[in-house]
């Protein structure tokens, strides 16, 4: 299982300590949640923080933009050194154009779906995607409970992906822990984001290892 711990639940007064932990862990990516207070009812952190984190983190960055008009920020995200740029389908009027622009900028392109957005809306874009991020909570906050309907969506997405020949990674974000992670793996998830489960633990390295071995 690919694992992408979410920095949103880290200790913002001592980020370098948490990044050192991530560097020494088996995590595959570091997940960064950008919120604008418009697309979601919260504001997190922005580009100066991503840039500082990027300098000291030896894992590739998985950037999740919870913002309106994400297409305006493609070049800016690229300059942070991000490997994956995730945009919400609900925030993109011209999704195909945005996905192509992300790839032209040299990043992996991911589309994120809110819990109430059906997987079937990806049918005409799935072949172009490097990744699909399914939200298993309503975006905006860490520490929420897993929405079980996501399991059905993972299964449906796997079918859509495999039938289309797409190689898109299936990533899931929100309320992930050992139990929900196992259920997601059974349905075909390839990559798990975990905030509270990792960073609010006494032993975050162990928690990352547990998710890795699911
Ligand atoms: C929520 C964010 C998540 C969040 C997950 O809007 O997209 O990445 O950090 O946190 P947990 O794992 O605590 O639900
Ligand atoms: Zn996220």
């Amino acid at each position: 299982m690919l694992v992408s711990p979410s920095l949103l639940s880290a200790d913002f007064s001592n980020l370098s300590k948490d990044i050192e932990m991530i560097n020494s862990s088996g995590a595959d990516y570091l997940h960064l949640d950008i919120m604008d207070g418009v697309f979601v009812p919260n504001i997190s952190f922005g580009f100066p923080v991503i840039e500082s984190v990027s300098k000291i983190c030896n894992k590739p960055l998985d950037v999740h933009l919870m913002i309106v008009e994400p297409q305006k920020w493609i070049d800016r995200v690229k300059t942070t050194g991000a490997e994956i740029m995730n945009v919400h389908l609900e925030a993109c009027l011209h999704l195909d154009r945005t996905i192509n622009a992300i790839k032209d900028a040299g990043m992996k392109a991911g589309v994120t779906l809110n819990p109430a957005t059906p997987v079937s809306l990806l049918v005409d874009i799935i072949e172009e995607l490097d990744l699909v991020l399914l939200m298993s909570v309503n975006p905006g906050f860490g520490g929420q409970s897993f929405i079980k309907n996501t399991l059905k969506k993972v299964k449906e997405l796997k079918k859509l992906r495999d039938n289309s020949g797409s190689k898109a990674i299936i990533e899931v974000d929100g309320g992930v822990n050992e139990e929900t992670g196992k259920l997601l793996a059974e349905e075909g998830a390839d990559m798990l984001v975990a905030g509270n489960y990792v960073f609010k633990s006494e032993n975050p390295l162990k928690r990352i290892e547990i998710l890795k071995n699911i």
Side-chain angles (χ1 to χ4, degrees), residues 55-107:
K55 282 184 193 139
I56 58 168
C57 184
N58 65 21
K59 307 287 180 180
L61 304 183
D62 164 32
V63 175
H64 175 196
L65 295 173
M66 284 161 272
I67 64 172
V68 296
E69 302 189 302
Q71 75 281 357
K72 288 185 176 170
W73 303 99
I74 294 170
D75 291 341
R76 190 68 186 88
V77 173
K78 175 65 184 173
T79 61
T80 66
E83 181 165 313
I84 301 172
M85 176 168 167
N86 283 296
V87 295
H88 270 260
L89 177 142
E90 304 85 2
C92 294
L93 269 184
H94 298 282
L95 187 61
D96 182 85
R97 178 182 286 149
T98 301
I99 290 306
N100 281 301
I102 293 170
K103 293 201 290 192
D104 287 348
M107 292 181 284

Side-chain angles (χ1 to χ4, degrees), residues 31 33 64 66 135 173 193:
H31 185 87
D33 291 298
H64 175 196
M66 284 161 272
M135 291 309 301
D173 182 7
V193 176

Side-chain angles (χ1 to χ4, degrees), residues 183-196:
L183 298 172
L184 289 163
E186 279 167 23
E187 301 300 345
D190 304 304
M191 176 157 159
L192 300 174
V193 176
N196 270 28

Side-chain angles (χ1 to χ4, degrees), residues 139-159:
F141 304 91
Q144 302 182 81
S145 302
F146 181 80
I147 297 173
K148 288 206 176 70
N149 186 55
T150 314
L151 296 172
K152 185 194 93 187
K153 290 177 75 177
V154 172
K155 188 176 190 169
E156 201 182 330
L157 176 57
K158 184 173 163 31
K159 206 164 149 192

